[in-house]
Amino acid sequence: MASAPVIPDSCNHVLAEFECLDPLLSALRLDSSRLKCTCLDVSKRWLALGSSGGGLNLIQKDGWKQRLFLAHKEGAISRVACCLHDEDYVAVATSQGLVVVWELNQERRGKPERIYVSSEHKGRKVTALCWDTTALRVFVGDHVGKVSAIKINTSKQGKAAATFVMFPVQIITTVDSRVVQLDYLDGRLLISSLTRTYLCDTEREKFWKIGNKERDGEFGACFFPVGKNSGNQQPLIYCARPGSRMWEVNFDGEVQSTHQFKQLLSSPPLPVVTLRQDPHYTSSSCSPQSLSFPKLLYLTEHSVMTWTERGIYIFLPQSVQVLLWSEVKDIQDIAVYKSELFCLHTNGKVVHLSLLLVDRCIERLIRRGVWTLAARVCCLFQNSIISCRARKNLPLDKLEHLKSQLDASTQQDLVTQLEEVISKLEPLDSACSSRRSSISSHESFSVLDSGIYRVISRRGSQSDEDSCSLHSQTFSEDERLKEFSAHQEDEQVDLDNVSHASVTVEADRNETFLPFSIPLSFRSPSPLVSLQAVKESVSSFVRKTTEKIGTLHISPDPRGRHEAKDSEQLQELTVNLVASPQEEKELEPQSYQLPEDDHLRDLKAATAEAVAKLQDPLVLLEPQCLRRVLREWLVHLEEKFGTKEHSASSVKKSKTVCAKDQRALLEENLPLDPAGGDSVDKEESSIVGHSTEKENTDETDTSKTTCENSTGEKGPLDCSFRVSPPFVIAPDVQKDLVELTTLCFELCVFSCGHGDAEEGSDGSLPLAALWTLACRFMRSYFFLLDLKRLKRCIITVYATSPNVWETYITGLKELTCHSPVALAMEKEDMLKILKLLHDLGPWDDSPLLLVHAQRLYEKFGEIALRPMVKFYPSISASDIRQLCRNDPSHFLPYLDSLVKSKPEDKRSSLLKSLLQPESVRLDWLCLAVSRDAPQRTDTVDAEGNPRPRSHLFTWGYSQLILLLIKLPADFVTKEKMADICKSHGFWPGYLFLCLELDRRIEAFTNIAHLDDLSLLNEEDGSIPETIEEWKFLLHLAQNHSTAFHHHGPQNGSAVGNGSASCPDCVTVENVALLLAKAVGPNRALPLLQECSLTLELSERFTGVCEILRIAEKRQRALIQSMLERCDRFLWSQQA
């Protein structure tokens, strides 16, 4: 039998039709040749169907049981739009161009009523309807390009609402061609016409054209709202372009990039899962598709949907991927709500499709009893079914149940294919088959290849919640205990004597951030309860396979680790039974490990005592007392969790080499500055002397010296991290331990590794030793540290120590080494990894996201930092600054992207909040003016003056530079910023700072050198304010013109004085004209005569002055006339 084609595992979504709407259309009589459906829309509650007879049918989606019929005599229904934020309103456009707004009155159980009829588009074809997302306002577009807005006043707003709105219909704009699509979000309206897309700010009444290139045809556009876990990131806009392309546009209407999907659409189409026909798939690729997308619809949190005459296409535009495309012919329109699609075909037929994961689709088919179709889909998408995520919804028992429902006589091929899929889920080999046969009578658990028992609840429930519930498992096993015989009870003593240390809950190191992790409070009793249910099989299994299982501690099977990982993703309780040969031979009571209450009794008592002492304000507010309490408690923590690295004898032997090792420690860790060599020698001699004194003290003091000596261990990787506790700790106990351990790190109270504690905050230890102690403390107690507080402490207290930060990052890497992101980092590209990070959110301010960003930066470099803006504020600017501390210039692109991602009115406040500490402002400014900037020789001449027109050069970070210099700062900082701008030739910023520092003469001098009169304007305050400033500027213009005439132009061609071809050059005539406009021609002429400049003026100046005099005279007359009229009116009122 030839094998059927299998869909790749990358295709894990599918469009499915679970219910046919043909009976509904038949009941509504919309399936006849005379009457058919013409338009549709959908909301959370309603499915709205407009008909060719002028009727609007509103069907309640819940059970399709309630129907409202709204009749219209104005013609057939051409468009319908449901209000999503208030489903009591619906807007309808008729074939005559009238727009009718209905209030359904469902809350008051009243009859639907028309509340407004707009005739603004009468006689035209309405092509688009769109509701405001917050207010009761409808936007309407027609075939000639006219766009209007209808403001709705209803009884819900009160009787006084109508008195404040005089014009309910407002003309927004008229574009150059037919309106193809309208979309609205957060105060902005998106208008897509046949030639281009427009963005309208409806509050400020501003318009932007998106992009420069026009198009010809129906191309849609839509807003792309950001997810809940994206912080303050602004929404995006996607505009369709010819040739299967899309523009990605920011919320300000600026095109960011162009995405090309032509080559990606060469993959074969995925089948639509429907009861009408069996799904078929052809693995052969088709030719690339060059398509025009008539509309773009936002579908889910990550995808955009469109369609053509050939099929339906769903894209992931942010990662430039095709989620799927399926062949669906003759589509006229589609309405979407979340993952639901309602497709209107050209023949009036309506199809209801759902976008969902393949495993969810199969699960729903099984729940509906559609066995054959479920099996066919399972075989087609077997690569996706085998994945760990799919096995959570489709465990082995469900697939076995599905196979049992098939007819083996008539569906032999299908049964065989399904058996192959099941065999791939759990491979059969000789090692595991015997184990399964020994426990086949117990269906409540299964044995993995590594000897791990997976406890599964099979109490008849197939829901995810039951399969993940530990209570349901325990209850099911307790019921089975009643069926055991008496000889099984005799073996209870043997099982009870098994060491609790050999019963461990297998968990990945990244269990702290798994979305469905089992609470720790349940983990302590769960292994024993589960063992009682399977003790008969366990006892025989331990005796038969002890030797093989015992080797798991030495060389664990990779398959066992992989299987354990899969079981975690299935959220099942995994128990690893490991018996040593001695335990098999004789299960002695001495091997019994104390329960948690006995094992941590002393530590719990010490913790409770320390917490009680910290409640005392006299202790809490006194640093020395607080550190003393923590030192006393840290001794008990070291006894339970500390590593016994040296014995007492080794401590005595180390006394003789203490001073030598201390000196080696300083040589490795202390920064050796040639200019400061004396200070280093002093620190060396002080610590050596300190250790020599300790040699004469008792053994306890020697232990402390040994601790300092042992801090010479180099690097964070020389000692493995303890990212998980050695045994189960109750949540309430662990909470107190985490609080106290983190407090020890924040106050620099560190453990020496021998039961003593060392305080390093009083200056008794050099910085290098303190840093090394901090690194060791993190490695030893990483599982007891609050990672968020730890990061803040490192950034503030240990900012000058790169080793401490690297140790923290290494610990996070160790914690997440088996996470999906870490595994994908080896083989996936950056876009797929970023998408995976986005899918795993929300991150809030989790440090785990920081370590993934570190991995991305290490692998992809600077290019990986810009996309981190999407995760702000989960990853802050200070975090990125720490990541690229070795190359601070890499931080600049991230900062620029972060600032540009915010609205203009919020950029300054954001940048101000990032300036922590304030001293980084000058560092950032120096980076910004030196990166992606023109050459200094192009902006500054040999004498240090600006070159003409050099302020027009493009600077890569000009917006960021201007924001930095415009932020409030002290006078000294502003002067330093002005010097930086001048030295690098950034003249726009230098002129601004000169005016702000009241160095106006210097500003006028540089404007004259730049030879651009447009720099003198009232908005910036750069126009002269006094007669002396005007005289100075006129003399500058005269000298500049003379020098320009003698030396020739440096940039561009020479222009004679007063020439009309250069109206913005700094010439005497142009400055004189500016003077005449500012103070008037009658005052300007005497000033020019005083400066002896009248001979340099042309007839053009005389003509302009005459025009100014006439305009001034007429203005005076107009003002006089208005004043006289006002005077007469006031006297008449008084009479």
Side-chain angles (χ1 to χ4, degrees):
M1 181 187 66
S3 60
V6 178
I7 297 175
D9 57 352
S10 59
C11 304
N12 52 10
H13 285 75
V14 69
L15 289 174
E17 181 186 12
F18 295 106
E19 51 193 356
C20 180
L21 298 184
D22 291 347
L24 175 64
L25 297 179
S26 179
L28 298 175
R29 298 180 180 179
L30 293 178
D31 57 350
S32 63
S33 58
R34 186 183 63 86
L35 196 65
K36 69 175 185 177
C37 184
T38 56
C39 59
L40 80 170
D41 196 23
V42 64
S43 65
K44 181 179 180 181
R45 181 180 183 184
W46 300 109
L47 171 62
L49 302 176
S51 68
S52 57
L56 178 67
N57 296 275
L58 290 172
I59 300 96
Q60 189 170 348
K61 289 166 55 180
D62 185 11
W64 314 104
K65 55 187 179 181
Q66 182 180 355
R67 182 172 76 93
L68 293 177
F69 183 78
L70 308 178
H72 302 81
K73 299 180 181 180
E74 294 85 1
I77 307 299
S78 61
R79 293 286 168 185
V80 59
C82 298
C83 183
L84 296 180
H85 63 87
D86 192 340
E87 294 189 291
D88 211 26
Y89 298 91
V90 61
V92 175
T94 68
S95 58
Q96 297 180 5
L98 299 179
V99 179
V100 183
V101 182
W102 289 83
E103 185 176 2
L104 304 181
N105 293 322
Q106 291 294 295
E107 298 177 357
R108 294 176 291 181
R109 299 182 180 274
K111 293 182 179 181
E113 58 178 338
R114 295 187 180 196
I115 56 176
Y116 192 79
V117 179
S118 171
S119 59
E120 189 65 39
H121 301 268
K122 186 175 182 180
R124 300 173 179 175
K125 181 181 179 181
V126 175
T127 56
L129 285 179
C130 175
W131 278 91
D132 194 316
T133 54
T134 55
L136 291 178
R137 182 168 53 169
V138 185
F139 299 97
V140 187
D142 60 26
H143 76 286
V144 299
K146 187 176 184 179
V147 181
S148 65
I150 305 173
K151 176 69 175 179
I152 309 302
N153 300 309
T154 69
S155 57
K156 295 181 180 181
Q157 298 173 336
K159 296 182 179 180
T163 60
F164 293 98
V165 183
M166 299 177 60
F167 305 104
V169 178
Q170 176 187 4
I171 305 301
I172 301 296
T173 186
T174 300
V175 296
D176 52 1
S177 57
R178 176 163 64 92
V179 176
V180 176
Q181 187 177 359
L182 295 176
D183 200 7
Y184 184 87
L185 182 68
D186 294 345
R188 302 206 174 178
L189 178 67
L190 192 63
I191 306 170
S192 182
S193 69
L194 294 176
T195 57
R196 60 171 66 248
T197 304
Y198 303 85
L199 183 62
C200 170
D201 190 334
T202 57
E203 298 176 359
R204 302 179 182 177
E205 298 184 358
K206 293 183 178 181
F207 295 86
W208 300 272
K209 291 181 181 180
I210 296 180
N212 297 322
K213 297 181 181 179
E214 294 188 354
R215 63 202 183 192
D216 185 13
E218 292 191 0
F219 296 91
C222 71
F223 286 106
F224 192 88
V226 294
K228 298 179 180 179
N229 53 347
S230 299
N232 297 325
Q233 181 184 354
Q234 285 188 302
L236 297 174
I237 301 170
Y238 286 100
C239 305
R241 297 292 300 169
S244 301
R245 292 178 298 156
M246 284 187 200
W247 274 346
E248 181 176 303
V249 186
N250 62 17
F251 209 50
D252 295 327
E254 301 171 352
V255 178
Q256 302 295 311
S257 58
T258 302
H259 301 324
Q260 174 63 263
F261 297 97
K262 181 178 179 179
Q263 297 296 331
L264 297 176
L265 292 175
S266 61
S267 59
L270 296 184
V272 177
V273 178
T274 174
L275 296 175
R276 305 174 191 268
Q277 60 182 4
D278 292 337
H280 294 284
Y281 175 75
T282 303
S283 58
S284 59
S285 300
C286 56
S287 59
Q289 303 182 55
S290 181
L291 306 174
S292 300
F293 305 138
K295 283 187 181 180
L296 294 181
L297 300 177
Y298 174 74
L299 189 58
T300 61
E301 187 176 352
H302 307 292
S303 59
V304 169
M305 190 220 69
T306 187
W307 72 92
T308 64
E309 67 280 355
R310 184 176 180 183
I312 297 175
Y313 304 84
I314 301 177
F315 303 103
L316 301 175
Q318 288 183 302
S319 57
V320 197
Q321 290 180 330
V322 178
L323 184 65
L324 66 84
W325 82 274
S326 301
E327 285 188 341
V328 183
K329 304 289 186 180
D330 302 326
I331 297 179
Q332 176 181 331
D333 196 7
I334 294 182
V336 300
Y337 180 76
K338 292 187 176 179
S339 60
E340 292 184 297
L341 289 76
F342 291 86
C343 307
L344 174 63
H345 292 260
T346 54
N347 59 0
K349 183 180 178 180
V350 179
V351 177
H352 179 201
L353 301 177
S354 299
L355 174 67
L356 69 170
L357 291 167
V358 175
D359 52 317
R360 294 287 187 185
C361 175
I362 298 174
E363 183 188 19
R364 290 180 64 174
L365 291 174
I366 293 176
R367 206 159 49 224
R368 292 169 180 262
V370 190
W371 312 111
T372 302
L373 183 58
R376 293 190 185 279
V377 176
C378 187
C379 295
L380 270 178
F381 291 90
Q382 58 181 267
N383 290 328
S384 298
I385 301 303
I386 295 172
S387 67
C388 300
R389 180 179 296 179
R391 292 180 63 183
K392 178 181 180 295
N393 298 316
L394 290 176
L396 193 61
D397 56 346
K398 282 191 179 182
L399 296 181
E400 291 283 2
H401 178 65
L402 173 61
K403 187 185 72 172
S404 66
Q405 299 297 324
L406 300 178
D407 190 350
S409 59
T410 61
Q411 298 176 317
Q412 182 59 39
D413 294 344
L414 188 58
V415 171
T416 304
Q417 295 177 20
L418 191 58
E419 286 178 347
E420 293 179 359
V421 176
I422 295 175
S423 66
K424 294 177 182 178
L425 287 177
E426 188 174 12
L428 296 174
D429 57 10
S430 58
C432 64
S433 59
S434 61
R435 300 172 194 169
R436 294 194 188 94
S437 62
S438 65
I439 59 172
S440 58
S441 60
H442 303 288
E443 298 179 354
S444 60
F445 63 93
S446 61
V447 184
L448 306 181
D449 295 340
S450 60
I452 296 176
Y453 275 72
R454 179 188 294 150
V455 182
I456 307 172
S457 175
R458 297 188 182 178
R459 203 162 31 124
S461 173
Q462 294 181 348
S463 64
D464 297 337
E465 291 77 14
D466 290 342
S467 64
C468 296
S469 174
L470 189 59
H471 291 292
S472 64
Q473 295 175 13
T474 306
F475 180 73
S476 178
E477 305 305 333
D478 290 338
E479 291 180 343
R480 296 179 184 272
L481 284 175
K482 300 177 182 179
E483 302 176 3
F484 287 164
S485 58
H487 75 278
Q488 294 170 333
E489 297 178 359
D490 296 337
E491 297 178 1
Q492 179 67 37
V493 178
D494 295 335
L495 281 176
D496 289 342
N497 288 333
V498 176
S499 172
H500 286 202
S502 64
V503 182
T504 59
V505 178
E506 288 293 319
D508 196 6
R509 289 182 175 182
N510 59 356
E511 65 177 356
T512 54
F513 61 87
L514 285 175
F516 300 99
S517 58
I518 300 176
L520 289 176
S521 58
F522 296 132
R523 292 194 178 190
S524 180
S526 59
L528 291 179
V529 175
S530 302
L531 283 174
Q532 290 176 356
V534 297
K535 61 180 180 179
E536 180 183 10
S537 301
V538 169
S539 60
S540 60
F541 168 70
V542 168
R543 287 173 173 82
K544 292 178 181 179
T545 59
T546 296
E547 183 177 357
K548 182 173 182 178
I549 299 176
T551 60
L552 290 177
H553 279 302
I554 303 174
S555 58
D557 187 4
R559 292 185 302 169
R561 290 198 300 268
H562 180 71
E563 197 70 25
K565 180 185 175 183
D566 292 343
S567 64
E568 283 182 3
Q569 294 183 1
L570 289 169
Q571 300 305 314
E572 298 170 354
L573 182 63
T574 306
V575 180
N576 185 15
L577 300 178
V578 182
S580 63
Q582 293 79 3
E583 289 172 339
E584 179 190 357
K585 180 177 180 181
E586 183 174 295
L587 300 176
E588 297 178 353
Q590 285 80 1
S591 65
Y592 180 80
Q593 181 177 335
L594 290 175
E596 178 196 349
D597 293 341
D598 296 333
H599 191 67
L600 297 179
R601 180 182 301 161
D602 296 340
L603 180 60
K604 291 170 67 174
T607 302
E609 182 182 358
V611 171
K613 290 181 179 179
L614 293 182
Q615 303 299 323
D616 186 358
L618 297 179
V619 175
L620 189 62
L621 300 178
E622 180 59 40
Q624 296 300 327
C625 296
L626 182 59
R627 292 190 178 95
R628 183 172 61 252
V629 172
L630 292 177
R631 286 198 302 271
E632 294 172 356
W633 171 82
L634 194 56
V635 173
H636 297 276
L637 181 70
E638 175 71 16
E639 291 177 358
K640 297 302 178 184
F641 295 106
T643 57
K644 306 297 186 294
E645 297 178 358
H646 306 281
S647 61
S649 59
S650 64
V651 172
K652 295 179 180 179
K653 293 180 181 179
S654 63
K655 292 166 62 177
T656 59
V657 296
C658 180
K660 180 179 179 181
D661 289 345
Q662 288 285 4
R663 181 175 296 274
L665 166 67
L666 289 172
E667 291 176 354
E668 289 184 6
N669 294 294
L670 284 179
L672 298 179
D673 186 1
D678 296 339
S679 61
V680 174
D681 294 338
K682 290 179 181 179
E683 289 186 352
E684 289 184 7
S685 59
S686 64
I687 189 169
V688 170
H690 181 66
S691 59
T692 306
E693 290 178 4
K694 287 183 176 287
E695 294 180 7
N696 300 324
T697 59
D698 58 6
E699 188 172 342
T700 303
D701 293 335
T702 306
S703 170
K704 293 184 180 182
T705 308
T706 308
C707 171
E708 295 180 9
N709 176 31
S710 64
T711 59
E713 296 180 1
K714 185 178 179 181
L717 298 177
D718 290 348
C719 180
S720 59
F721 277 83
R722 299 176 65 177
V723 296
S724 59
F727 44 79
V728 179
I729 306 174
D732 54 342
V733 178
Q734 187 170 13
K735 179 181 178 181
D736 294 336
L737 293 178
V738 169
E739 179 66 28
L740 292 177
T741 308
T742 307
L743 197 58
C744 286
F745 187 87
E746 292 173 339
L747 296 177
C748 305
V749 178
F750 297 128
S751 169
C752 292
H754 306 288
D756 297 323
E758 180 69 32
E759 178 186 341
S761 61
D762 57 355
S764 60
L765 288 178
L767 287 179
L770 178 63
W771 295 341
T772 310
L773 283 174
C775 294
R776 172 173 298 174
F777 190 85
M778 277 193 288
R779 290 196 298 267
S780 301
Y781 305 109
F782 201 77
F783 65 97
L784 289 179
L785 289 169
D786 187 330
L787 299 181
K788 296 180 182 179
R789 290 171 54 187
L790 185 63
K791 184 186 74 172
R792 290 195 294 266
C793 179
I794 293 174
I795 292 177
T796 55
V797 179
Y798 300 95
T800 58
S801 172
N803 289 339
V804 178
W805 175 262
E806 290 174 1
T807 304
Y808 174 69
I809 292 296
T810 305
L812 293 178
K813 288 182 178 179
E814 186 75 14
L815 185 66
T816 60
C817 61
H818 298 298
S819 68
V821 180
L823 299 177
M825 198 73 65
E826 301 176 358
K827 55 184 178 180
E828 301 291 350
D829 57 14
M830 188 175 68
L831 292 177
K832 291 183 179 180
I833 297 172
L834 290 172
K835 177 183 179 298
L836 180 60
L837 284 175
H838 194 276
D839 294 341
L840 292 175
W843 292 96
D844 297 329
D845 55 344
S846 172
L848 302 181
L849 180 60
L850 174 63
V851 72
H852 296 322
Q854 174 75 29
R855 287 192 176 102
L856 279 171
Y857 178 63
E858 292 174 355
K859 182 174 182 179
F860 300 103
E862 178 184 356
I863 193 176
L865 295 182
R866 285 186 182 270
M868 290 296 112
V869 174
K870 298 180 180 180
F871 299 99
Y872 181 83
S874 298
I875 292 185
S876 63
S878 59
D879 296 335
I880 300 296
R881 197 163 67 240
Q882 284 287 338
L883 294 185
C884 52
R885 64 189 181 280
N886 295 329
D887 194 348
S889 61
H890 289 178
F891 174 68
L892 197 61
Y894 169 82
L895 180 63
D896 185 61
S897 299
L898 179 61
V899 172
K900 289 182 179 178
S901 66
K902 304 300 177 185
E904 291 186 7
D905 55 343
K906 296 182 180 180
R907 292 177 180 177
S908 298
S909 58
L910 171 66
L911 189 59
K912 185 177 180 181
S913 65
L914 300 179
L915 291 175
Q916 300 296 333
E918 184 71 21
S919 58
V920 301
R921 183 202 300 254
L922 297 178
D923 299 335
W924 292 359
L925 182 61
C926 291
L927 284 175
V929 297
S930 58
R931 292 263 299 181
D932 197 8
Q935 296 293 330
R936 188 177 185 277
T937 55
D938 295 334
T939 58
V940 183
D941 60 16
E943 299 177 357
N945 296 320
R947 292 189 181 274
R949 307 286 172 153
S950 60
H951 65 291
L952 301 178
F953 279 111
T954 301
W955 295 69
Y957 299 100
S958 58
Q959 296 185 25
L960 179 62
I961 298 171
L962 291 174
L963 285 174
L964 283 171
I965 64 178
K966 289 181 180 180
L967 287 177
D970 57 86
F971 186 82
V972 176
T973 303
K974 289 285 185 178
E975 285 188 327
K976 293 180 180 179
M977 295 171 72
D979 295 338
I980 293 173
C981 290
K982 183 178 182 180
S983 62
H984 288 82
F986 185 71
W987 303 118
Y990 179 66
L991 293 177
F992 175 84
L993 290 170
C994 285
L995 295 172
E996 194 173 29
L997 295 171
D998 203 21
R999 290 152 54 171
R1000 301 178 60 84
I1001 300 301
E1002 189 173 351
F1004 295 146
T1005 304
N1006 284 275
I1007 290 175
H1009 285 289
L1010 291 171
D1011 196 25
D1012 190 353
L1013 200 66
S1014 63
L1015 296 175
L1016 296 170
N1017 57 76
E1018 295 182 2
E1019 295 180 359
D1020 298 336
S1022 57
I1023 195 167
E1025 297 176 352
T1026 62
I1027 298 298
E1028 287 72 18
E1029 289 183 355
W1030 279 111
K1031 290 181 180 180
F1032 179 77
L1033 185 59
L1034 286 169
H1035 286 297
L1036 280 177
Q1038 185 180 20
N1039 297 334
H1040 174 70
S1041 300
T1042 304
F1044 195 77
H1045 176 72
H1046 286 296
H1047 299 287
Q1050 298 182 20
N1051 290 339
S1053 59
V1055 179
N1057 184 46
S1059 175
S1061 61
C1062 189
D1064 57 347
C1065 294
V1066 179
T1067 62
V1068 174
E1069 182 168 323
N1070 288 338
V1071 175
L1073 287 174
L1074 188 64
L1075 173 64
K1077 293 177 183 178
V1079 302
N1082 294 331
R1083 296 179 60 190
L1085 283 175
L1087 182 59
L1088 293 172
Q1089 292 174 356
E1090 182 180 349
C1091 296
S1092 303
L1093 297 175
T1094 54
L1095 298 177
E1096 299 187 20
L1097 304 177
S1098 64
E1099 296 180 358
R1100 172 172 168 264
F1101 175 79
T1102 306
V1104 172
C1105 287
E1106 289 298 329
I1107 295 174
L1108 290 175
R1109 288 191 185 95
I1110 295 173
E1112 186 177 357
K1113 186 176 180 180
R1114 290 186 176 181
Q1115 189 174 11
R1116 287 201 195 97
L1118 179 61
I1119 295 174
Q1120 182 66 26
S1121 175
M1122 293 179 62
L1123 290 175
E1124 291 177 355
R1125 290 182 181 181
C1126 291
D1127 185 63
R1128 289 196 297 268
F1129 174 76
L1130 293 175
W1131 280 110
S1132 64
Q1133 292 296 319
Q1134 186 177 5

